[in-house]
Amino acid sequence: MDQDLKGRLNRDGIRLHEPGDFAGMHKAGALAARILDDIAAQVLPGVTTEALDAEIERMVNEAGATSATIGYKGYKHASCISLNHVVCHGIPGPKVVKDGDILNIDVTVIVDGWFGDTSRMYVAGTLSRKAERLIQVTHDALFKGIEAVRPGNTFGDIGHAIQTYVEGHRMSVVRDFCGHGLGQVFHAPPNVLHYGRAGSGPVLEEGMFFTIEPMVNLGRPETKILADDWTAVTRDKSLSAQFEHSVGVTADGVEIFTLSPGGKFHPTWG
């Protein structure tokens, strides 16, 4: 199976893709980002998370793409929707979104064999000041991490940039989950930690594709998994936020595959 995948593995077991592979990732990433743009208008008090997921699944199918999450390890939905103190992997269901709720919606699609994976935060109704601060810090932390992506830097540089920024704002970075390599597979080496020591870890090389997706808590970083074996929540019930982009290392920097076509990546875009 490995021989069917494009690119070669480096000494750390990380796949290095060819320049022509970037186009496939841009196409998949653009669809995932457009779906998240289009669902924004429906994130309102009174909607259920299963209704949002059904609309996302419809958009994936209408585009002629495939949901990467439906059927993945038994998962049945086209998105993960994580509200308030849910850190990640929230399962869509009958829960009604209330005024003031914040939620992360995470979508991964497959287009022509390439995986586009992205998530962002949404606000239903009135945004509280503490939630606004959390969302802003998490958003900016992601881009601090992306700024560290260039050949010759390390994955530790990415994590260090995120961690120092978040902790400088007296918030915490979740350590139980991380970003990951992707391309023609959903998850591949390396694990992309959102904390760490500058100069540590594998060296970034041209052609690496991976996600950066920091989860940030207003309280402590510890999480626990609920009985459904998917949903991760903050142990101290503090609010959590997450933003995710899929990126590729270029000869002199980084390309983001999942940029919002409508400039709606930040929830206060309007």
Side-chain angles (χ1 to χ4, degrees):
M1 180 175 173
D2 186 66
Q3 293 178 345
D4 296 329
L5 300 179
K6 293 187 176 182
R8 60 181 178 84
L9 298 181
N10 75 353
R11 64 183 181 181
D12 295 303
I14 302 170
R15 190 165 298 280
L16 304 180
H17 296 84
E18 300 298 326
D21 298 337
F22 280 72
M25 288 298 289
H26 274 293
K27 187 174 181 181
L31 175 60
R34 179 168 61 80
I35 288 170
L36 291 187
D37 275 13
D38 292 346
I39 201 65
Q42 299 185 41
V43 180
L44 300 167
V47 72
T48 64
T49 56
E50 63 188 0
L52 293 173
D53 181 72
E55 181 62 14
I56 289 168
E57 183 175 355
R58 184 196 65 78
M59 288 189 277
V60 173
N61 293 335
E62 189 175 77
T66 301
S67 167
T69 53
I70 295 176
Y72 178 77
K73 296 185 177 179
Y75 196 75
K76 299 178 181 179
H77 305 279
S79 64
C80 293
I81 303 180
S82 304
L83 274 75
N84 299 326
H85 72 288
V86 178
V87 174
C88 60
H89 303 157
I91 301 175
K95 185 174 181 61
V96 176
V97 176
K98 298 182 177 63
D99 182 63
D101 281 349
I102 62 171
L103 52 159
N104 175 274
I105 302 181
D106 190 337
V107 170
T108 307
V109 298
I110 310 170
V111 178
D112 298 333
W114 296 99
F115 285 70
D117 187 3
T118 183
S119 80
R120 67 181 77 156
M121 295 301 295
Y122 297 83
V123 177
T126 306
L127 179 62
S128 72
R129 177 61 186 139
K130 66 178 183 179
E132 182 178 19
R133 283 189 61 247
L134 172 65
I135 289 170
Q136 189 66 55
V137 168
T138 309
H139 174 275
D140 293 349
L142 167 62
F143 284 93
K144 292 291 184 183
I146 292 173
E147 286 172 9
V149 178
R150 58 181 176 273
N153 275 6
T154 69
F155 281 95
D157 292 329
I158 298 172
H160 181 73
I162 292 169
Q163 180 183 6
T164 54
Y165 184 79
V166 169
E167 293 179 353
H169 286 81
R170 305 177 70 84
M171 300 178 193
S172 64
V173 177
V174 171
R175 287 156 167 74
D176 296 334
F177 302 94
C178 60
H180 53 89
L182 81 169
Q184 291 180 299
V185 293
F186 196 171
H187 296 98
N191 290 332
V192 183
L193 305 182
H194 304 116
Y195 61 95
R197 181 168 51 85
S200 66
V203 174
L204 296 164
E205 298 179 59
E206 181 180 1
M208 289 180 174
F209 297 164
F210 52 88
T211 70
I212 306 176
E213 46 184 297
M215 289 143 273
V216 176
N217 298 344
L218 269 180
R220 293 186 55 82
E222 293 83 10
T223 69
K224 65 178 180 179
I225 307 296
L226 300 185
D228 59 26
D229 290 330
W230 281 103
T231 308
V233 300
T234 55
R235 281 192 174 272
D236 62 5
K237 299 291 179 26
S238 63
L239 286 177
S240 186
Q242 180 187 21
F243 285 88
E244 174 185 15
H245 269 318
S246 296
V247 303
V249 183
T250 65
D252 56 1
V254 61
E255 289 185 13
I256 302 174
F257 299 129
T258 46
L259 289 172
S260 164
K264 300 180 181 181
F265 190 68
H266 193 288
T268 59
W269 57 270

